Amino acid sequence: MIKLLLADDQALVRGAMAALLDLEPDLKVVAEVGRGDEVVDAARAHDADVALLDVQMPGLDGIAAARLLHDALPACRVLMVTTFGRAGYLRQAMAAGAAGFVVKDTPARQLADAVRRVHQGLRVVDPALAAQSLAHGDSPLTERETDVLRAASDGGTVADIARELRLSDGTVRNHLSSAIGKTGARTRAEAVRLAVDNGWLLG
């Protein structure tokens, strides 16, 4: 019997997923949580074999929870199950130690199969997301452009970013302009969004 922990802040989604997975003869949902900061304790308390985590949750996002769980209980495998099918999230999740990444509209039988494969030590990745991730490839941004965009993600002014990174206003403007060009964005906010979606602002 494979013991499962479900972590999703939407109770209805979590309950439906639990009901579907419990229909499988070899799967048993032993714990459900609605917050990312409850994942490690619940996995430990219920000796979960596989944790199915959503990306966006209160307390701690699913990717950060996956990292903590991987460090605290490496035997508990992580499968990200999310609405947010973005290549950037896939790369971040894999870097955090997740063994799989599927979207929530995955058919129940495929989800159950993904759980079994992850439990066996295999990697499971939604094929469309894998292709998207490969298509976007590595970040085109320099280290400094990445720093500037990361600082810009808080919505601060050029002066705020310059102060935070100890750069001149002109240098920040140059890096922002370069990052906007490399991402193909029209605005600073769009460049930040594209970089986040592609996983280029990790670190």
Side-chain angles (χ1 to χ4, degrees):
M1 188 68 73
I2 302 171
K3 293 174 285 186
L4 309 179
L5 160 67
L6 304 186
D8 193 305
D9 62 330
Q10 296 179 353
L12 188 62
V13 171
R14 197 172 66 237
M17 201 181 309
L20 288 170
L21 291 170
D22 271 337
L23 293 173
E24 300 291 325
D26 57 335
L27 305 181
K28 180 172 179 56
V29 176
V30 294
E32 296 180 43
V33 298
R35 297 175 54 90
D37 52 7
E38 297 173 346
V39 167
V40 173
D41 288 345
R44 187 178 283 124
H46 297 276
D47 195 26
D49 297 311
V50 178
L52 289 81
L53 309 182
D54 187 18
V55 169
Q56 293 194 339
M57 291 185 286
L60 195 66
D61 69 71
I63 292 168
R67 185 175 291 108
L68 288 179
L69 186 57
H70 181 70
D71 292 344
L73 300 168
C76 182
R77 308 280 289 166
V78 174
L79 175 63
M80 305 301 298
V81 184
T82 183
T83 305
F84 302 95
R86 296 177 181 160
Y89 284 156
L90 167 60
R91 280 198 292 276
Q92 291 177 50
M94 293 306 183
F101 196 107
V102 297
V103 290
K104 283 182 182 171
D105 61 4
T106 300
R109 185 165 292 166
Q110 286 180 26
L111 178 60
D113 186 51
V115 168
R116 293 183 188 103
R117 290 167 57 100
V118 162
H119 182 250
Q120 291 166 5
L122 302 173
R123 283 202 181 272
V124 178
V125 177
D126 180 91
L129 267 181
Q132 185 185 352
S133 183
L134 288 172
H136 285 105
D138 293 332
S139 175
L141 304 171
T142 66
E143 185 176 345
R144 186 52 86 185
E145 289 163 356
T146 301
D147 291 342
V148 169
L149 269 193
R150 194 179 293 126
S153 67
D154 294 334
T157 65
V158 167
D160 294 334
I161 297 167
R163 220 176 2 264
E164 181 182 336
L165 298 178
R166 295 190 171 101
L167 299 171
S168 71
D169 290 8
T171 300
V172 167
R173 281 193 200 92
N174 288 340
H175 285 310
L176 284 172
S177 177
S178 179
I180 288 168
K182 287 180 179 180
T183 58
R186 292 187 306 273
T187 65
R188 178 173 84 175
E190 186 182 6
V192 169
R193 183 184 58 75
L194 288 167
V196 167
D197 285 354
N198 286 306
W200 295 338
L201 299 188
L202 293 175

